[in-house]
Amino acid sequence: MPNDQDELFASVDALLAQAAAQDALPEPAERKRLREAGGLSQDQVAKALSVRRETITSWELGRTEPRPPKRAAYIRLLEGLAERFPTQGSQGSTAPAAAPEACHGPAATPPSPPAPAVAPPSAPGAATDPAPVPAPTRAARTGPTSSSSSSSLSASRRPPAKKAATNKRATAPAPPPPAADPRFVHGPLAVLDGDGSAYCVDGLVLDCPAATFPALVEWTLNEAKLGATRLHRHGKDADPLIVITAEAAERLGLPRELEDRRGLRLPEDHPVVRHLGRAKWRLTRRGFGPWPRIYRPAQGGERQCVQFAILPWGALDARSWGDSDQLPPAELARVLGSYATRVITPRGSTAVCGLELMTALRPPTRAVRDEATGSWVSGPNPGALTEPVDPAPPEAPGEHPVVASRYPRHHERTPDQALDEEAYDWFRPLTDEECARGYSHGVGIDVNMAFAAAANRLNVGTGPATHVSSPAFDAKLPGSWLVDLSHLDLDPRLPSPFTPKGTRPTGPAWYATSTVAYAVELGATVQPIEAYVRYEHGAYLDAWYTRLRDAYMATMADLGVTAGMPDDDFLAAMARHKDLDPGQAAVLSAIKSSVKGGIGKLRERPQGIGYKYGERWPALERPTWSPHIRAELIGKARTNMHRKMRKLASAGVFPVAVLSDCAVYLSHGAGPLDFLPRTEEGKPLPGGFRLGVSPGMVKHEGTQDFLWVASMIEDEQINPARHIKGSDAAAGGE
């Protein structure tokens, strides 16, 4: 009996130890913060704990929890990091920060403590009433003596409180937002009108006395207190943005329109450009155009750079921002401020912003100590794209030197010569059975943030490609594979997952890893002929996806659409969401454009009439010029789409057309609920399309009558998914 009692006590002690260990583990976000504060990569932690890198990612996202004996070792690591990098006080003071950069290049400097984080966006449960524009708060004219009023000014700038959403469960009060960085107390940007009023976020209005561009730059850097803190500890703070209205442009001596409609920049001899030069200010290579960046080389590690957006010159593209450039300055500041807080401070088109966000979240360099001299120098940042890398020949566009050196200029490469991972553009003839079943409508469903969702946990190459012959396929190794998948016999009522046009492959072709992995999932025997693989790889886009997902969800919540809504409520909310708050609707459009535009920039083609075939072009010198990442991502998005369509096909429901992330189905009713299959319990078919706001779920894209769909397919030979919404989906950025 005593021995039995000892065994029972030992079991109880083990349970108590386990409970104590569970209490000692920090929250997921804190686990990530501690690792990054210590300058450790996920690969390093995974190697030390003898687990996979994906396991560390899962722990830091809160998807899974470590189990003994790994749990105790992981807690020991986090406790050690917490002692060195506490949340308050000296946070980050002992860790090297990124080397600050001039606008035209990096400058290695000693480490500096990271700035406070930006306040998080509204939670999806926030009230859905449109946020009113706060009443403008007029600040005293800023000047050398105005700094004393900054604290009282910022105290009056609190945004209006929002109603908390009702919830059946009691929730703990939200923690207070972090204190604003004293350098950027007036927010990330200001909209300048013709009267010298600079409208900031939260309704604050600053008096700007500057009447020339050099004076405006000086005022912005010295008095305005605009900008935003870095998004990554090795990154750099966002430069202040000044948005110039038409009236302000005239006041500052700018023309209403640019005469150079091709180059979109002021001539070098324009008075404004010459005035800037005399004041020792510089312009970047793109000159003084719709998005000019004005700077001086960094001195002592301090950046001197201001970003401008010239509204009358088309800085805000209507395809991404709608009619935002016509909004009053205060409202425009709210719109752009929301985007800046949730995504990134605008610094060009939404495509440029999408690409710059990748770099801001995964900086290519970090400050490292030179063992020989003891000084801080710039070094590569593990897990980032650190230097320009030429693509493998099948991955490169036709103009690239690696292709131009192999083929004549007008040679059209075949599938066994070029990687063709593009989005779907497919439709098929209607069957006799479909024509006889009395369908009344064609209904389009669209996958939310499909390409962003494909980026989640996507393993991509971060280094150069290595050519291998007759390799064994490895689904964990990103790259391009020459494989014959023509032997797969799939249902002709579904598009092939291996070609953008949905046609069956006719022989060997190049595919990204994600596409070949899906072929294996379908039961194919895969025997690659050759491949270009990347042994340096990782989930480079994870942070990019997370930030854009959170921005999208917060903006949709502002527009009255939240996660977990019943299907009918969701469809009703989606039908009116763009009318609820036009300003936030513009932010939503810009977020979605940032996703697709940023992905497109990964394979940016040469621009300008001066380009000659076979020459290099400026985009190739960016570490983020990575067509293989774009191919991997699009292949993943396309196979994700096919997997869901295949699941619906198992229930007898087949699409008639697909365009990118939109699929058209025949229906006896006018909405998605009329054709999306359900289980016997009335729930959505597992693995199929599911209505909802989250990335990867679907919304109602549009409905047309059956005869319209049949006419588009049979008579016009036009993909009905392109016009199911009532407009050209491609032209609208869908």
Side-chain angles (χ1 to χ4, degrees):
M1 181 67 68
N3 291 337
D4 291 342
Q5 185 173 356
D6 290 342
E7 291 177 2
L8 291 173
F9 282 176
S11 299
V12 170
D13 289 342
L15 289 176
L16 292 173
Q18 181 179 356
Q22 290 175 348
D23 291 340
L25 194 63
E27 291 297 315
E30 178 66 4
R31 303 168 199 173
K32 180 179 179 181
R33 185 195 72 79
L34 290 171
R35 175 181 59 77
E36 292 181 342
L40 302 176
S41 68
Q42 289 183 335
D43 287 326
Q44 289 175 300
V45 176
K47 184 176 180 180
L49 297 178
S50 299
V51 297
R52 297 187 306 138
R53 182 195 58 75
E54 291 80 0
T55 301
I56 303 300
T57 300
S58 186
W59 292 352
E60 291 184 350
L61 292 175
R63 295 194 187 101
T64 60
E65 296 291 317
R67 298 179 179 179
K70 311 291 186 185
R71 185 184 187 91
Y74 188 48
I75 291 174
R76 181 181 179 87
L77 170 66
L78 296 178
E79 288 177 345
L81 291 172
E83 291 178 1
R84 293 171 172 83
F85 308 102
T87 304
Q88 301 293 336
S90 60
Q91 175 183 343
S93 60
T94 60
E101 297 182 11
C103 291
H104 61 292
T109 62
S112 59
V118 178
S122 303
T128 58
D129 295 334
V133 181
T137 303
R138 172 67 65 174
R141 181 173 296 275
T142 55
T145 61
S146 64
S147 58
S148 61
S149 63
S150 296
S151 59
S152 60
L153 234 179
S154 58
S156 67
R157 296 170 53 242
R158 298 186 182 92
K162 292 186 178 180
K163 301 176 183 177
T166 57
N167 196 315
K168 293 181 180 179
R169 296 179 295 178
T171 57
D181 189 309
R183 299 169 299 164
F184 311 132
V185 293
H186 295 158
L189 55 88
V191 180
L192 186 64
D193 70 6
D195 297 327
S197 296
Y199 293 80
C200 307
V201 297
D202 297 342
L204 176 70
V205 183
L206 302 176
D207 282 333
C208 175
T212 65
F213 259 94
L216 179 57
V217 174
E218 296 281 359
W219 174 84
T220 303
L221 293 175
N222 298 325
E223 306 296 339
K225 296 188 177 181
L226 297 171
T229 54
R230 65 193 70 179
L231 298 180
H232 187 280
R233 62 184 298 265
H234 295 313
K236 59 185 180 182
D237 297 326
D239 297 316
L241 169 64
I242 301 294
V243 182
I244 306 296
T245 62
E247 295 76 16
E250 184 176 0
R251 179 172 180 253
L252 293 165
L254 296 179
R256 284 277 181 161
E257 294 183 358
L258 283 172
E259 294 182 3
D260 181 5
R261 302 308 302 166
R262 185 180 296 276
L264 290 178
R265 62 179 62 189
L266 283 180
E268 295 295 328
D269 60 352
H270 190 277
V272 169
V273 178
R274 288 191 283 111
H275 196 182
L276 286 167
R278 287 196 299 269
K280 307 301 182 183
W281 291 106
R282 299 184 184 181
L283 291 163
T284 55
R285 284 190 305 176
R286 59 183 173 183
F288 203 114
W291 287 92
R293 186 181 289 267
I294 300 174
Y295 73 98
R296 282 179 183 151
Q299 297 180 355
E302 183 178 352
R303 288 173 59 83
Q304 299 183 76
C305 193
V306 180
Q307 177 72 66
F308 292 90
I310 316 298
L311 294 184
W313 296 355
L316 298 182
D317 192 327
R319 292 171 296 181
S320 302
W321 292 99
D323 297 328
S324 296
D325 59 346
Q326 304 300 316
L327 293 173
E331 175 67 4
L332 180 57
R334 180 177 79 93
V335 169
L336 295 178
S338 180
Y339 180 89
T341 302
R342 293 172 178 175
V343 183
I344 193 172
T345 302
R347 57 188 70 182
S349 68
T350 50
V352 169
C353 293
L355 188 73
E356 290 288 338
L357 181 62
M358 297 180 194
T359 302
L361 294 168
R362 297 274 193 178
T365 61
R366 63 173 179 170
V368 296
R369 190 179 293 278
D370 188 332
E371 297 298 334
T373 64
S375 61
W376 293 97
V377 296
S378 181
N381 186 23
L385 300 176
T386 59
E387 60 183 1
V389 175
D390 276 345
E395 299 166 348
E399 307 92 339
H400 197 282
V402 302
V403 177
S405 64
R406 291 183 172 219
Y407 307 105
R409 178 170 185 175
H410 299 291
H411 172 75
E412 186 172 340
R413 289 186 290 170
T414 54
D416 61 340
Q417 296 173 340
L419 180 69
D420 188 25
E421 294 283 12
E422 299 293 342
Y424 270 132
D425 186 356
W426 168 89
F427 63 97
R428 63 171 174 83
L430 303 181
T431 65
D432 292 341
E433 180 185 3
E434 288 169 335
C435 293
R437 291 189 64 179
Y439 288 115
S440 58
H441 294 89
V443 180
I445 52 174
D446 181 79
V447 180
N448 303 321
M449 302 276 282
F451 296 101
N456 186 26
R457 291 177 288 174
L458 180 66
N459 188 27
V460 300
T462 55
T466 300
H467 181 259
V468 289
S469 298
S470 303
F473 175 67
D474 185 351
K476 297 180 181 179
L477 197 58
S480 300
W481 310 77
L482 182 60
V483 185
D484 188 353
L485 300 178
S486 61
H487 59 282
L488 264 76
D489 189 16
L490 302 176
D491 195 309
R493 291 172 292 180
L494 289 175
S496 167
F498 308 123
T499 64
K501 291 295 183 182
T503 56
R504 184 171 179 170
T506 57
W510 286 97
Y511 303 101
T513 297
S514 53
T515 302
V516 183
Y518 186 59
V520 174
E521 181 182 326
L522 293 176
T525 301
V526 174
Q527 297 177 335
I529 301 168
E530 59 177 312
Y532 290 91
V533 297
R534 288 174 168 81
Y535 295 108
E536 296 177 37
H537 53 82
Y540 172 76
L541 295 172
D542 261 12
W544 184 78
Y545 160 74
T546 300
R547 186 161 179 88
L548 287 165
R549 177 205 62 194
D550 292 348
Y552 168 79
M553 294 293 289
T555 307
M556 289 299 291
D558 287 346
L559 293 170
V561 188
T562 57
M565 300 178 78
D567 288 345
D568 288 329
D569 293 347
F570 168 73
L571 292 173
M574 286 299 299
R576 63 174 182 268
H577 76 288
K578 291 185 179 180
D579 299 325
L580 193 65
D581 184 342
Q584 287 302 103
V587 175
L588 178 66
S589 174
I591 291 170
K592 294 193 289 186
S593 294
S594 300
V595 173
K596 293 191 176 181
I599 294 169
K601 281 283 186 180
L602 293 170
R603 192 177 183 258
E604 184 177 356
R605 309 291 283 270
Q607 302 175 15
I609 59 174
Y611 174 75
K612 294 182 180 179
Y613 175 78
E615 292 182 345
R616 297 184 69 83
W617 58 95
L620 302 186
E621 310 312 319
R622 293 194 319 250
T624 49
W625 193 84
S626 304
H628 62 278
I629 294 182
R630 176 185 178 274
E632 197 75 60
L633 195 152
I634 293 179
K636 179 69 176 296
R638 195 181 64 247
T639 53
N640 281 349
M641 192 82 174
H642 189 273
R643 185 180 290 107
K644 293 179 183 295
M645 291 189 293
R646 187 163 58 94
K647 190 65 179 180
L648 262 65
S650 68
V653 181
F654 293 86
V656 296
V658 184
L659 180 69
S660 186
D661 46 10
C662 172
V664 176
Y665 285 85
L666 300 181
S667 173
H668 292 287
L673 294 176
D674 295 307
F675 75 87
L676 287 175
R678 297 267 173 168
T679 64
E680 293 181 356
E681 295 79 18
K683 297 182 179 180
L685 184 69
F689 294 116
R690 182 174 181 178
L691 289 171
V693 68
S694 299
M697 301 178 78
V698 300
K699 62 179 180 295
H700 182 204
E701 177 72 358
T703 297
Q704 301 287 345
D705 62 49
F706 174 80
L707 292 179
W708 179 92
V709 174
S711 175
M712 292 287 284
I713 292 175
E714 304 294 343
D715 300 333
E716 304 292 338
Q717 292 292 301
I718 295 175
N719 188 338
R722 182 175 296 276
H723 301 283
I724 195 74
K725 195 174 183 177
S727 60
D728 189 330
E734 298 295 335

